[in-house]
Amino acid sequence: MTLRQRAGQQVLEAERTIMRELNASDADGLQEVIGDPHVMGNQARTIEQTRGWIRYHMPGYTEHGFALWAVIAKDRGELIGDCGILYRTIAGGGEFGLGYHLRRDCWGCGIATEAAQAVCDTVGTATRVTSGRCHAAHQHSIT
Ligand SMILES: CC(C)(COP(=O)(O)OP(=O)(O)OC[C@H]1O[C@@H](n2cnc3c(N)ncnc32)[C@H](O)[C@@H]1OP(=O)(O)O)[C@@H](O)C(=O)NCCC(=O)NCCS
């Protein structure tokens, strides 16, 4: 797995997905993921919040060289989630962490593990990611 430039964008490839930079036109597709209470619980986003989520992560591509990417299914060419490294301010300090969300109909086939592994293999070591956060009630995020 390698992080490389394609058409001026960072692109990371896993077996069944590619991860590319998020942009404003991803809002509707991403809304199907993070607007879904099955995925997000009580943190399900409105479409406006999803647009804000994209805007929030976009500067990371140039500031850090990585951020949260759109996860695109290779076979359908369709956005099915997000995955990448998030910078969070926690208890006054900052840290990089792994984050991912996958559209509900794509759960249960190993795509999230594969994408997260690709991120860890390429940028995780460089950023010294030592943490991951998930909804406590979501056992699949922990195991
Ligand atoms: C976290 C999340 C992406 C995990 O989804 P997932 O489908 O459980 O994870 P994977 O895509 O890695 O799939 C793993 C499952 O596929 C199965 N599987 C089927 N085919 C597989 C294959 N070829 N390779 C690997 N696993 C496969 C595994 O056995 C496993 O099943 P199990 O959960 O019954 O044990 C999803 O639950 C989600 O979006 N949750 C909400 C957001 C969240 O908590 N994010 C995490 C931290 S920010």
Side-chain angles (χ1 to χ4, degrees), residues 16 39 100-102 107-113 133-134 138 140-141:
R16 288 172 283 180
V39 177
Y100 47 91
H101 304 100
L102 200 62
W107 288 7
C109 55
I111 286 176
T113 303
R133 284 171 184 268
C134 64
H138 205 291
H140 279 179
S141 307

Side-chain angles (χ1 to χ4, degrees), residues 35-137:
D36 179 353
H38 282 109
V39 177
M40 299 298 287
N42 62 10
Q43 293 182 6
R45 307 298 209 278
T46 63
I47 184 68
E48 261 323 302
Q49 289 169 328
T50 297
R51 291 191 183 108
W53 174 255
I54 292 172
R55 281 195 301 272
Y56 174 78
H57 289 290
M58 284 174 66
Y61 305 126
T62 45
E63 276 172 29
H64 306 299
F66 51 80
L68 192 72
W69 288 287
V71 176
I72 311 294
K74 283 183 185 173
D75 58 353
R76 286 164 281 165
E78 176 177 281
L79 187 152
I80 57 167
D82 62 26
C83 183
I85 305 292
L86 296 86
Y87 186 76
R88 304 182 178 96
T89 307
I90 295 163
E95 65 174 30
F96 290 108
L98 175 67
Y100 47 91
H101 304 100
L102 200 62
R103 208 173 64 198
R104 179 72 185 91
D105 61 300
C106 300
W107 288 7
C109 55
I111 286 176
T113 303
E114 221 172 76
Q117 187 66 59
V119 169
C120 290
D121 288 349
T122 50
V123 290
T125 312
T127 55
R128 299 200 182 113
V129 168
T130 53
S131 71
R133 284 171 184 268
C134 64
H135 300 294

Side-chain angles (χ1 to χ4, degrees), residues 1-23 61 65-74 83 115 118-119 122-123:
M1 330 275 176
T2 48
L3 180 62
R4 54 198 158 81
Q5 295 286 320
R6 187 189 292 169
Q9 276 206 16
Q10 298 164 346
V11 179
L12 179 62
E13 189 163 355
E15 198 179 323
R16 288 172 283 180
T17 57
I18 64 159
M19 282 158 273
R20 58 141 176 86
E21 294 178 14
L22 282 160
N23 63 65
Y61 305 126
F66 51 80
L68 192 72
W69 288 287
V71 176
I72 311 294
K74 283 183 185 173
C83 183
V119 169
T122 50
V123 290

